[in-house]
Amino acid sequence: MHKREPIYATAIGAGRALFGLLRVRRTTTELEQLPSTGGAVLAITHFGYLDFALVEWVTWLHNRRHIRFMVKKGAFDQPLVGRLLRGMKHISVDMESGGEAYAQAVTALCEGELLGVFPEGGVNASFTVRELKTGAVRMAQAANVPIIPVAVWGGHRLMTKNHRSTLRERVGLPVSIRFGQPFQTDAAGQDGDAAVATLRLHAAMQSLVDAVQSEYAVPGSGQWWQPAHLGGTAPTPTEAAVVEAERRRRKAAAKQAAQK
């Protein structure tokens, strides 16, 4: 029996209403990989801004479990949004000092929570799995829980970076969510082991993405939402990395100027 959480229940209800109004056509595969109890790290692809809501939606429908997501501190700093995030027991991440968030995440895992992590960092505009950060693996190692790779495909057509979809484009979209085989990492938690396990996680996530892309209900050749290597017009991983580096440079410069 899962404890009732009114704020989270309200958020899920709002998400279900939104996806219902948009007539999102979901296809979910390998839901049996989700544990009914106990801690686990869900390592999720990050191509769209609503990926977290889509994964929580199907998880709740499957076994009524809530996911505690790691969310950038900036969202917590907004009065209303921050209150909601805290009410849902999500974890604030300070990108300049992540030690406190790491400790909170490990504690949550040890207490039997599902932890939602986007190991790519921010939204990935190339729609391929880029190099992962090792945090997801290190947290799983510290809490001695499994990692479950998760691929979401189609959710970026609802809302993503560098493209504003029209309402017509968003209605009736197919969205595919596939859960991968859980795997346990080396509990020693040494940097070398974390790096190796992170490479394994990357391969698992990309394999899931390849599968959902190949089975997707709509052909993507020539489309903005399809990766370049599959005939789409999305930027290549190299092009996307250059644009992202420039965005971060401008953001850092603006922050520095504001502090003067």
Side-chain angles (χ1 to χ4, degrees):
M1 178 72 68
H2 300 295
K3 184 178 179 180
R4 177 170 170 75
E5 298 182 35
I7 295 178
Y8 216 137
T10 300
I12 290 174
R16 294 181 69 189
L18 172 64
F19 296 139
L21 287 171
L22 292 175
R23 300 201 300 275
V24 172
R25 296 182 285 133
R26 73 179 188 276
T27 299
T28 312
T29 314
E30 302 292 334
L31 269 168
E32 64 273 13
Q33 307 295 356
L34 276 172
S36 297
T37 60
V41 174
L42 302 185
I44 308 166
T45 57
H46 205 10
F47 304 146
Y49 292 124
L50 295 179
D51 292 345
F52 76 97
L54 290 163
V55 174
E56 174 56 40
W57 179 33
V58 299
T59 298
W60 185 86
L61 288 174
H62 176 62
N63 61 16
R64 298 299 192 264
R65 294 198 69 180
H66 294 153
I67 303 170
R68 314 303 176 184
F69 286 96
M70 302 193 74
V71 183
K72 290 182 179 178
K73 180 179 179 293
F76 278 83
D77 291 339
Q78 301 176 36
L80 178 58
V81 174
R83 182 177 179 182
L84 292 173
L85 292 173
R86 282 184 283 272
M88 291 185 280
K89 301 180 184 178
H90 296 317
I91 298 171
S92 174
V93 180
D94 186 336
M95 303 304 290
E96 297 179 358
S97 178
E100 183 177 351
Y102 178 91
Q104 290 178 11
V106 171
T107 296
L109 289 168
C110 291
E111 292 175 350
E113 300 281 9
L114 292 178
L115 182 72
V117 178
F118 298 100
E120 295 175 86
V123 170
N124 182 356
S126 73
F127 309 137
T128 60
V129 183
R130 65 187 172 201
E131 183 178 357
L132 307 182
K133 301 179 184 299
T134 61
V137 164
R138 291 188 291 108
M139 287 184 291
Q141 289 175 337
N144 193 27
V145 299
I147 299 177
I148 304 172
V150 186
V152 181
W153 186 248
H156 58 303
R157 297 178 65 191
L158 293 170
M159 186 181 295
T160 193
K161 181 185 292 185
N162 303 330
H163 183 88
R164 181 172 293 180
S165 299
T166 64
L167 179 60
R168 177 175 293 184
E169 288 178 306
R170 290 169 175 161
V171 173
L173 283 180
V175 173
S176 301
I177 303 171
R178 177 168 293 197
F179 294 83
Q181 183 78 29
F183 67 91
Q184 202 86 19
T185 63
D186 180 27
Q190 298 175 359
D191 289 344
D193 296 326
V196 171
T198 299
L199 290 175
R200 178 183 175 187
L201 176 61
H202 183 281
M205 292 175 69
Q206 186 61 60
S207 178
L208 292 175
V209 170
D210 292 341
V212 292
Q213 287 173 338
S214 67
E215 299 167 359
Y216 195 58
V218 181
S221 181
Q223 299 296 319
W224 67 265
W225 47 265
Q226 186 82 327
H229 74 279
L230 293 179
T233 61
T236 66
T238 299
E239 291 168 343
V242 170
V243 172
E244 181 63 16
E246 175 60 19
R247 185 192 70 81
R248 291 180 179 178
R249 185 196 67 77
R250 292 197 304 268
K251 185 176 180 180
K255 182 177 180 180
Q256 186 176 29
Q259 293 174 340
K260 289 182 179 180

